[in-house]
């Protein structure tokens, strides 16, 4: 019985997390009703579970707040905003061997943020791998699948 309850709980979390891909924008945005902290914990866990290494966590919201004030541009558009840089040595090697210009895809970056006008939502966003690259390259399809799976895991946390 507890297994069924667990499955129902996972299903409910999955349904609560939705993806709103902005077609043609070059990035995928996912939303969650979970707290920013929980989503960040989910991002870190999802990256680690896939054997990837977190290089850096960039505190984008703090930087935008600080520089906005210094430049007279006002407050940051975010309540919270952080970007996680991470790497997969295997995927990076495969994609750059296939096409050396793909070095631009390293490191991978996924960001999470909250907005002052939407206190009950946390967003996760990553750049999309172009559809033509996904169709033509198994490794780029794998990269795209990993980014999507990590984002979806984070918003389901």
């Amino acid at each position: 019985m507890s297994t069924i309850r667990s499955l129902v709980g996972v299903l409910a979390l999955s349904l609560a997390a939705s993806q709103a891909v902005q077609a043609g924008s070059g990035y995928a945005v996912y939303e969650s009703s979970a707290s920013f902290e929980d989503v960040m914990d989910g991002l870190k866990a999802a990256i680690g579970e896939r054997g990837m290494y977190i290089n850096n966590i960039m505190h984008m919201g703090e930087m935008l707040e600080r520089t906005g004030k210094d430049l007279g541009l006002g407050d940051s558009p975010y309540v919270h905003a952080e970007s996680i840089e991470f790497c997969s040595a295997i995927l990076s090697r495969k994609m750059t061997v296939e096409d050396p210009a793909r070095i631009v895809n390293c490191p991978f970056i996924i960001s999470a943020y909250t907005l002052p006008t939407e206190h009950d939502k946390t967003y996760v966003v990553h750049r999309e791998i172009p559809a033509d690259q996904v169709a033509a390259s198994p490794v780029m399809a794998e990269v795209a699948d990993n980014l999507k799976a990590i984002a979806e895991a984070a918003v389901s946390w």
Side-chain angles (χ1 to χ4, degrees):
M1 190 66 163
S2 66
T3 303
I4 292 172
R5 283 188 207 150
S6 295
L7 289 172
V8 169
V10 169
L11 180 60
L13 281 174
S14 295
L15 292 174
S18 65
Q19 177 184 14
V21 176
Q22 299 182 3
S25 68
Y27 52 88
V29 180
Y30 306 77
E31 69 178 59
S32 174
S33 59
S35 72
F36 178 80
E37 293 78 14
D38 287 345
V39 169
M40 284 298 293
D41 287 345
L43 269 174
K44 293 172 193 173
I47 291 165
E49 288 168 358
R50 287 161 179 77
M52 296 184 197
Y53 176 76
I54 294 175
N55 302 325
N56 189 25
I57 298 176
M58 298 172 289
H59 305 284
M60 301 302 295
E62 292 173 16
M63 182 273 300
L64 291 169
E65 182 76 30
R66 184 179 60 254
T67 58
K69 286 180 181 175
D70 291 347
L71 299 171
L73 299 174
D75 294 333
S76 169
Y78 306 103
V79 175
H80 302 285
E82 295 187 357
S83 295
I84 299 179
E85 289 182 335
F86 59 101
C87 187
S88 163
I90 294 168
L91 287 176
S92 295
R93 177 70 181 189
K94 285 182 187 177
M95 70 182 183
T96 56
V97 165
E98 189 175 88
D99 181 349
R102 290 195 182 131
I103 193 169
V104 74
N105 293 83
C106 295
F108 306 123
I109 299 173
I110 297 182
S111 301
Y113 63 90
T114 58
L115 300 172
T117 57
E118 300 180 72
H119 300 285
D120 59 341
K121 292 182 185 174
T122 301
Y123 294 93
V124 172
V125 62
H126 65 80
R127 291 182 189 118
E128 290 185 304
I129 305 299
D132 62 332
Q133 288 185 30
V134 171
S137 168
V139 70
M140 294 311 288
E142 188 176 352
V143 169
D145 289 346
N146 269 285
L147 291 172
K148 181 179 179 187
I150 290 166
E152 288 176 346
V155 296
S156 297
W157 189 256

